[in-house]
Structure formats: C-alpha cells, structure tokens
Amino acid sequence: MNLPRRCGVYIEEVLVLGLILSFAAADVASTLQRPFQEWTLEEAIQVLNDSPWARQVTLTEVIDEVGSGVRGEKEILKTFYVRLLSAPPVRQALARVEQINHGFDQMSGLEREEFLESLRPGLEMPMRRFIVVTVSFRSNDSEQENEIQRYFQTQTADTLANQVYLSSSRVARLRLRGYFAPAGDGLGARFVFPRYLDGQPVFTGSSDTLLFQMELPDLDTPVNVAFPLANMQVDGELLL
C-alpha cells in the first residue's frame, strides 16, 4: 500500500504505539464484522500488530560486558514486525489509520468520497496472483536499526532468494518472485511470493500453516513466523 510520504512518519509511530499502550484485548473477529470505517484506532492497531495477519518477533542479545550497553541497557532487543500486506484486513487497517489521522469522521460527504478515492489504489491492490509480506524492524540500539535498514535497502530478489521464503505442507520452500526495499512509509521491506504453483494454490485448507522464514547476516536465529490458516478465515473465506 503506497501511503503519502508525509504520512509515513505518522504511520510508523502508530504501528509502534501498539507496543507501548495497554489496550483491552479486542476481539479481532468482531472488529472485522464491521466496516473498517467504523474501527477505532485501537482496533486498527491490533489488526496491524497482533492479529492472524500480523506478528512480532523479538530477538534478545544479552550484553556480556560489565556495565551497560548503548544507552545503559543490559540487552539489545531486535523486533521484527511481519505483516501480510496482501490480506485485506491489513490494508483496511492501514486505510483506517490514515482516515483517523486526517479527521475522516468529521469530513463532509463529498470530502469523505474524495478521501476514500485516494485510498482506493491501496485497498483494491490486485493480489490474486501474489502474497505480499512486509517486514519492518525496530531496536533499542540505533546502530542495529541503521544496519538492518541499510541491508534491506541494498538487497534484490536474487540476493534474497536463498534467505527469505514461505512454506506450507505442500511446498517446503516457496521462492521469492519479487522484492521492494523500504519506501519510507513505515511498512518496511516487501517480499512478493506466488499464490499458485502449477495452477494450484500453495496455501489452502484450514489445517495448513503459512510459515515465513528470513535469515539475515549477523542473526544467529532465523526469523520464523507461523500464520495458521484456520485463524485467517472470515465468513468462510481465506483472507490471504
């Protein structure tokens, strides 16, 4: 989803906000039963940060030296935010954050129509043939953040071919079809995978699991994220 550059900082701040604010646990399933224009900011953030289509993985590096770390901390936290951008709920949550940011609920009817039209390309992004995973990164060590950002900016689908993949019960390693470096909108790097192999869907059935794995230099542990398909169905439809 291509958000206006001037809104990217706000989106990034909102995505991180989900970490530091304590929300009452919302029922994502009930949220999805309502039009996304009615979601609260808290509900949109939950869809983006902690839902069947969004996961966080935090790796901890303990600092061995006596004393302190970069800012006095004893350990470095490396958090990866993995989201399925191809899934409609994620794109709707991003659109709702944009609406709230721009005072959509207070707009006139015509203003609302114009604003919705500006969001339409992201909401209706053609995803029939592809699954798109986004990965962003935060750390309490600014050097770690900069290093990961530089890495993502310099990679291509070819250089990442043996480091990032999806898998299912049918396919052990689904290779990348495309890659887009972070664009400054807070969503991070975009990894594009095919939905079909030999004309058959790679991911299907409520008992299957979509597994995203990413291996990065200087990380001893791969980033592994499991998305159970049973949790990603709404009204009997798999939203992927």
Side-chain angles (χ1 to χ4, degrees), residues 173-226:
R173 288 199 174 197
L174 184 64
R175 294 173 64 87
L176 273 174
R177 184 64 59 84
Y179 172 75
F180 298 90
D185 56 9
L187 292 176
R190 291 160 169 78
F191 303 87
V192 182
F193 301 89
R195 282 183 183 268
Y196 299 89
L197 286 180
D198 301 324
Q200 298 297 318
V202 178
F203 301 97
T204 183
S206 60
S207 62
D208 207 349
T209 296
L210 181 156
L211 177 64
F212 174 81
Q213 184 170 80
M214 178 175 64
E215 300 173 359
L216 297 179
D218 301 326
L219 284 184
D220 295 331
T221 304
V223 177
N224 291 310
V225 183

Side-chain angles (χ1 to χ4, degrees), residues 27-123:
D27 185 344
V28 173
S30 65
T31 296
L32 297 178
Q33 295 302 315
R34 310 195 323 271
F36 75 88
Q37 292 94 335
E38 298 178 5
W39 297 356
T40 66
L41 179 61
E42 291 84 357
E43 289 170 332
I45 289 175
Q46 183 168 26
V47 172
L48 290 171
N49 281 347
D50 185 17
S51 74
W53 303 272
R55 293 286 189 269
Q56 300 171 25
V57 176
T58 298
L59 306 178
T60 302
E61 177 184 342
V62 178
I63 299 173
D64 296 329
E65 291 83 358
V66 176
S68 61
V70 179
R71 292 189 179 89
E73 65 271 38
K74 302 295 183 182
E75 56 188 21
I76 295 176
L77 303 178
K78 309 171 186 179
T79 300
F80 293 88
Y81 303 85
V82 182
R83 302 178 176 96
L84 293 171
L85 183 63
S86 50
V90 171
R91 302 201 304 278
Q92 291 170 351
L94 288 168
R96 182 54 178 156
V97 170
E98 282 295 280
Q99 288 181 342
I100 294 172
N101 182 31
H102 289 83
F104 177 84
D105 296 350
Q106 289 74 47
M107 291 180 181
S108 67
L110 179 59
E111 289 174 327
R112 286 190 176 196
E113 289 180 14
E114 292 176 346
F115 193 78
L116 282 173
E117 188 62 30
S118 72
L119 296 176
R120 197 175 305 281
L123 284 168

